[in-house]
Amino acid sequence: MSRIFSVLLMILVGGFGYFIGWRMNSGAGGKMADTYKLIRSYYVDPVNADSLQSAGVRGMLQSLDPHSIYLEPEKAAITQSNFNGNFEGIGIEFDVVRDTLLVVTPLAGGPSESAGIMPGDRIIAIDSKNVIGIKPSAVLGKLRGERGTRVSLKVYRPLTRRTIDFLVTRGKISTSSIDAAFLDDARTGYIRISQFVETTGSEFHNAVQKLRKMGMQRLVIDVRGNPGGYLDQAVVVADELLPAGKLIVYTKSRHGGDDQMKYVATSGGIFEKGQLCLLVDRGSASAAEILAGALQDNHRALLIGELSFGKGLVQRQFKLPDDSVVRLTVSRYFTPSGRQIQREYDEGLQGRERYYKEMFTRNLPGNFMKKYGGLMYREGQDISVYSTGNLLKSASADSLRAVLAKAGGIMPDYWVFGKPTSNLYQELYAKGVIEDIALKLIDDPSDPVQKYRSSVTSYLNGYRVPENLEALVRKGCADTKVTYDPAEFSRDRARIALALKARIARHLFGTEEQIRVLVREGDPVMKVARHFIEKKAS
């Protein structure tokens, strides 16, 4: 950058700052300043100036769309470190179960693993302060910190009934946005992307490379529950899968410039050929929908699952002087065919609340699918599969288009309805009964699960949940005041057993193996994906 250009840029920035200051002291900005003075001068109680300013910023953003938000400095720092794909801390995956901080697994190569902390350990004190009853939101603040600093941990190890003191030196921890990457069968790879962070593109490339060396010829990518993240990383992943010249996504903004872009695939992607499926659900949002739209519009992959979230707004992050952050919507994105997938919303706080609540309650598109979609396959009450290809031809096109435009999202090629879970099953998860049973079995030195600790392969192939599962569930319900329903247990026994096996796998071997158990033994959407990917390959 030349010196002349730098000077001009400084003049422009200074001029912009002067303009903003002038606006803030006149018109609408004057109202804010006058109200602030009135509160400071006349309000009955003392007020905190920073809190008032933060509330003002938050209020302005809440009057806009549901995705423009304000983050306090501490939350902004944690969020940014997650999106960066690394942070500084002790390196554990954790849960808070029954008020106790539980080590799910120490991250491979991290400080905790090096110190000898093991899966299943309970952290009962941090730096000599009791942490029984700690809230999940408070854990990161205590365990993360500057690289090279130390933290003392008092750990209870149930398997040996011992309490052990550890001194762990914090270090740089690399996190992964890919929760699992394994072969589902000899030729089919499976990759789950949990979010799109700065490292997702390179992580995905490495995962595909690893699976191809193992013999992978076709691929299932799972972005169910993926809330999105960096747009450019979704573009990188799409670029690995699409041939050169294919449009991936474009954005439109009233400001033009960097907020109005077009992204096109380049040559040399690692999996530009080969059968491909993408799994989506109502939790697949933003960058996940960019990937889905690019693959669907370019006829590169089959989309299987359910209608996605419907977020087509792009945010840019602006850092304020106190290190808080404003994440402001600056443009809208469109799929290659020109679809704008942002679902309908009302501005303001109430509209924002309705918008997120509807993520879990918008059943209307699904009802239309059951009524007008093409039923392709049904397996008792467990699985129903509908083709969406002729949907608009089956109902009044105008009325259905209005429904789908309001609902937004990316429509899968095949919509899968699974058997709804019973109230008992939902309560077992919500009240932590399945988690408690898993921990009791893992902590019992005499339980048969102990012989599977050293081999994930033998665990996956050989472990069976106890025959007295019903008795364990009954006791767990009694302990947590969950109403036990024998009929619901009988109907969902296989699902409860699978959830327990998966939970034990997570504690013994990590998240990837938990996902492998669920995907391999009980995932209806994955079962449908296997059918179509094999059919298309034959």
Short mmCIF file of all heavy atoms in Angstrom, two decimals, residues 292-313:
data_model
loop_
_atom_site.label_atom_id
_atom_site.label_comp_id
_atom_site.label_asym_id
_atom_site.label_seq_id
_atom_site.Cartn_x
_atom_site.Cartn_y
_atom_site.Cartn_z
N ALA A 292 -25.20 -26.75 0.88
CA ALA A 292 -26.31 -27.55 0.37
C ALA A 292 -26.86 -26.99 -0.94
O ALA A 292 -27.10 -27.74 -1.90
CB ALA A 292 -27.42 -27.61 1.43
N GLY A 293 -27.07 -25.68 -0.98
CA GLY A 293 -27.60 -25.06 -2.20
C GLY A 293 -26.67 -25.20 -3.38
O GLY A 293 -27.11 -25.45 -4.51
N ALA A 294 -25.36 -25.06 -3.13
CA ALA A 294 -24.38 -25.18 -4.22
C ALA A 294 -24.36 -26.59 -4.79
O ALA A 294 -24.34 -26.78 -6.01
CB ALA A 294 -22.99 -24.80 -3.70
N LEU A 295 -24.39 -27.59 -3.92
CA LEU A 295 -24.34 -28.98 -4.39
C LEU A 295 -25.65 -29.38 -5.07
O LEU A 295 -25.64 -30.11 -6.07
CB LEU A 295 -24.05 -29.92 -3.21
CG LEU A 295 -22.69 -29.71 -2.52
CD1 LEU A 295 -22.53 -30.70 -1.37
CD2 LEU A 295 -21.53 -29.86 -3.51
N GLN A 296 -26.76 -28.90 -4.55
CA GLN A 296 -28.05 -29.25 -5.15
C GLN A 296 -28.26 -28.57 -6.49
O GLN A 296 -28.64 -29.22 -7.48
CB GLN A 296 -29.19 -28.88 -4.19
CG GLN A 296 -30.55 -29.37 -4.64
CD GLN A 296 -31.63 -29.03 -3.63
OE1 GLN A 296 -31.85 -27.86 -3.32
NE2 GLN A 296 -32.31 -30.03 -3.10
N ASP A 297 -27.99 -27.28 -6.57
CA ASP A 297 -28.23 -26.55 -7.82
C ASP A 297 -27.30 -27.00 -8.93
O ASP A 297 -27.63 -26.89 -10.12
CB ASP A 297 -28.06 -25.04 -7.58
CG ASP A 297 -29.26 -24.44 -6.87
OD1 ASP A 297 -30.18 -25.20 -6.52
OD2 ASP A 297 -29.27 -23.20 -6.66
N ASN A 298 -26.12 -27.49 -8.57
CA ASN A 298 -25.18 -27.98 -9.57
C ASN A 298 -25.31 -29.49 -9.81
O ASN A 298 -24.47 -30.08 -10.48
CB ASN A 298 -23.75 -27.65 -9.15
CG ASN A 298 -23.42 -26.17 -9.34
OD1 ASN A 298 -23.41 -25.67 -10.46
ND2 ASN A 298 -23.15 -25.47 -8.24
N HIS A 299 -26.37 -30.09 -9.25
CA HIS A 299 -26.66 -31.52 -9.43
C HIS A 299 -25.45 -32.39 -9.07
O HIS A 299 -25.18 -33.40 -9.71
CB HIS A 299 -27.09 -31.80 -10.88
CG HIS A 299 -28.21 -30.92 -11.35
ND1 HIS A 299 -29.50 -31.03 -10.88
CD2 HIS A 299 -28.21 -29.86 -12.22
CE1 HIS A 299 -30.26 -30.10 -11.45
NE2 HIS A 299 -29.51 -29.38 -12.26
N ARG A 300 -24.77 -31.97 -8.01
CA ARG A 300 -23.56 -32.71 -7.60
C ARG A 300 -23.85 -33.72 -6.50
O ARG A 300 -23.13 -34.70 -6.36
CB ARG A 300 -22.50 -31.70 -7.12
CG ARG A 300 -21.22 -32.32 -6.60
CD ARG A 300 -20.44 -33.04 -7.69
NE ARG A 300 -19.27 -33.72 -7.16
CZ ARG A 300 -19.24 -34.99 -6.77
NH1 ARG A 300 -20.34 -35.73 -6.86
NH2 ARG A 300 -18.15 -35.53 -6.30
N ALA A 301 -24.89 -33.48 -5.69
CA ALA A 301 -25.16 -34.37 -4.56
C ALA A 301 -26.66 -34.52 -4.36
O ALA A 301 -27.45 -33.63 -4.72
CB ALA A 301 -24.53 -33.81 -3.28
N LEU A 302 -27.05 -35.65 -3.78
CA LEU A 302 -28.41 -35.84 -3.31
C LEU A 302 -28.50 -35.25 -1.90
O LEU A 302 -27.64 -35.52 -1.05
CB LEU A 302 -28.77 -37.32 -3.27
CG LEU A 302 -29.05 -38.02 -4.59
CD1 LEU A 302 -29.31 -39.50 -4.34
CD2 LEU A 302 -30.24 -37.39 -5.30
N LEU A 303 -29.54 -34.46 -1.64
CA LEU A 303 -29.78 -33.93 -0.31
C LEU A 303 -30.86 -34.77 0.37
O LEU A 303 -31.94 -34.96 -0.21
CB LEU A 303 -30.21 -32.47 -0.37
CG LEU A 303 -29.09 -31.42 -0.28
CD1 LEU A 303 -28.06 -31.61 -1.39
CD2 LEU A 303 -29.65 -30.02 -0.28
N ILE A 304 -30.56 -35.25 1.55
CA ILE A 304 -31.47 -36.16 2.26
C ILE A 304 -31.66 -35.67 3.68
O ILE A 304 -30.70 -35.29 4.35
CB ILE A 304 -30.91 -37.60 2.25
CG1 ILE A 304 -30.76 -38.09 0.81
CG2 ILE A 304 -31.78 -38.55 3.06
CD1 ILE A 304 -30.08 -39.44 0.67
N GLY A 305 -32.89 -35.67 4.15
CA GLY A 305 -33.16 -35.25 5.53
C GLY A 305 -34.46 -34.50 5.64
O GLY A 305 -35.54 -35.06 5.38
N GLU A 306 -34.40 -33.23 5.99
CA GLU A 306 -35.58 -32.40 6.09
C GLU A 306 -35.23 -30.95 5.73
O GLU A 306 -34.06 -30.63 5.52
CB GLU A 306 -36.19 -32.48 7.49
CG GLU A 306 -35.27 -32.05 8.61
CD GLU A 306 -35.89 -32.26 9.99
OE1 GLU A 306 -37.08 -32.62 10.07
OE2 GLU A 306 -35.18 -32.06 10.99
N LEU A 307 -36.25 -30.11 5.64
CA LEU A 307 -36.05 -28.71 5.27
C LEU A 307 -35.06 -28.05 6.23
O LEU A 307 -35.17 -28.19 7.45
CB LEU A 307 -37.39 -27.98 5.31
CG LEU A 307 -37.40 -26.52 4.85
CD1 LEU A 307 -37.18 -26.44 3.35
CD2 LEU A 307 -38.73 -25.86 5.23
N SER A 308 -34.10 -27.31 5.68
CA SER A 308 -33.08 -26.68 6.51
C SER A 308 -33.62 -25.42 7.19
O SER A 308 -34.77 -25.02 6.99
CB SER A 308 -31.84 -26.35 5.66
OG SER A 308 -32.15 -25.38 4.67
N PHE A 309 -32.78 -24.77 7.98
CA PHE A 309 -33.19 -23.68 8.88
C PHE A 309 -33.77 -22.48 8.14
O PHE A 309 -34.78 -21.91 8.53
CB PHE A 309 -31.97 -23.24 9.70
CG PHE A 309 -32.26 -22.16 10.70
CD1 PHE A 309 -32.67 -22.47 11.98
CD2 PHE A 309 -32.10 -20.81 10.37
CE1 PHE A 309 -32.93 -21.48 12.91
CE2 PHE A 309 -32.36 -19.81 11.29
CZ PHE A 309 -32.78 -20.15 12.57
N GLY A 310 -33.10 -22.03 7.08
CA GLY A 310 -33.57 -20.86 6.35
C GLY A 310 -32.91 -19.57 6.76
O GLY A 310 -33.57 -18.58 7.06
N LYS A 311 -31.57 -19.55 6.77
CA LYS A 311 -30.82 -18.32 7.08
C LYS A 311 -30.03 -17.91 5.85
O LYS A 311 -29.05 -18.55 5.50
CB LYS A 311 -29.88 -18.53 8.27
CG LYS A 311 -29.05 -17.28 8.59
CD LYS A 311 -28.06 -17.53 9.71
CE LYS A 311 -27.26 -16.26 10.05
NZ LYS A 311 -26.36 -15.84 8.97
N GLY A 312 -30.47 -16.84 5.24
CA GLY A 312 -29.80 -16.36 4.03
C GLY A 312 -29.22 -14.97 4.20
O GLY A 312 -29.07 -14.24 3.21
N LEU A 313 -28.92 -14.60 5.43
CA LEU A 313 -28.35 -13.29 5.72
C LEU A 313 -26.88 -13.44 6.10
O LEU A 313 -26.51 -14.37 6.82
CB LEU A 313 -29.10 -12.61 6.87
CG LEU A 313 -30.61 -12.41 6.68
CD1 LEU A 313 -31.23 -11.81 7.93
CD2 LEU A 313 -30.89 -11.53 5.46
#
